[in-house]
């Protein structure tokens, strides 16, 4: 599985509003393939966000689920990253420019995406980005 930056953005926006799935299915015998694929994608991306230091989360295992003990919280870095990419116009422009360069946003690091989006915000506000 590869990271999906649109999904990462979606998750960060939801988490910032306190929206999350408390129970994540974790048993291939009890749940359909579709449910398990969605659960795996959700947990994978939450784990990426945690590993990158953008969120904190506490989990426990209770068959047949992985339980999120509370809503994952955005860290300072997570808030900064979301601030840079939350605006639809900035996000779409970021994806558009990256695509023009022959890349996809998923191929770029969080830091590169954040830097590019922040530069766009500075340009929009008339701040010299240098």
């Amino acid at each position: 599985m590869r990271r999906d930056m649109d999904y990462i953005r979606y998750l960060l926006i939801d988490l910032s509003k306190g929206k999350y799935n408390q129970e994540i299915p974790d048993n291939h015998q009890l749940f359909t393939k579709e449910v398990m694929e969605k659960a795996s994608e959700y947990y994978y991306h939450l784990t990426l966000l945690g590993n990158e230091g953008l969120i904190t989360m506490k989990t426990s295992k209770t068959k047949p689920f992985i339980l999120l003990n509370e809503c994952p919280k955005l860290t300072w870095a997570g808030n900064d990253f979301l601030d840079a990419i939350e605006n639809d116009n900035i996000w779409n422009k970021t994806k558009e420019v990256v695509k023009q360069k022959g890349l996809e946003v998923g191929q770029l690091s969080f830091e590169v995406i954040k830097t590019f989006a922040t530069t766009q915000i500075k340009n929009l506000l008339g701040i010299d980005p240098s």
Side-chain angles (χ1 to χ4, degrees), residues 84 90 94 111-130:
I90 298 294
T94 300
E111 197 56 42
V112 169
I113 294 168
K114 179 182 162 193
T115 299
F116 185 80
T118 302
T119 299
Q120 288 186 79
I121 294 168
K122 287 179 180 180
N123 288 335
L124 184 68
L125 296 173
I127 300 170
D128 183 12
S130 53

Side-chain angles (χ1 to χ4, degrees), residues 4-58:
D4 176 335
M5 293 306 292
D6 282 312
Y7 194 63
I8 291 278
R9 179 176 176 265
Y10 163 80
L11 284 177
L12 286 172
I13 291 169
D14 271 3
L15 295 175
S16 74
K17 296 175 182 175
K19 297 179 187 175
Y20 72 110
N21 296 332
Q22 184 176 15
E23 297 178 336
I24 303 169
D26 189 36
N27 186 315
H28 292 275
Q29 273 82 37
L30 294 178
F31 298 100
T32 66
K33 181 180 177 184
E34 181 181 317
V35 167
M36 287 308 302
E37 285 174 357
K38 286 183 180 182
S40 292
E41 179 182 35
Y42 183 72
Y43 189 65
Y44 172 76
H45 284 87
L46 285 177
T47 302
L48 285 177
L49 290 168
N51 291 345
E52 188 65 23
L54 300 178
I55 64 167
T56 59
M57 68 176 181
K58 295 177 184 166

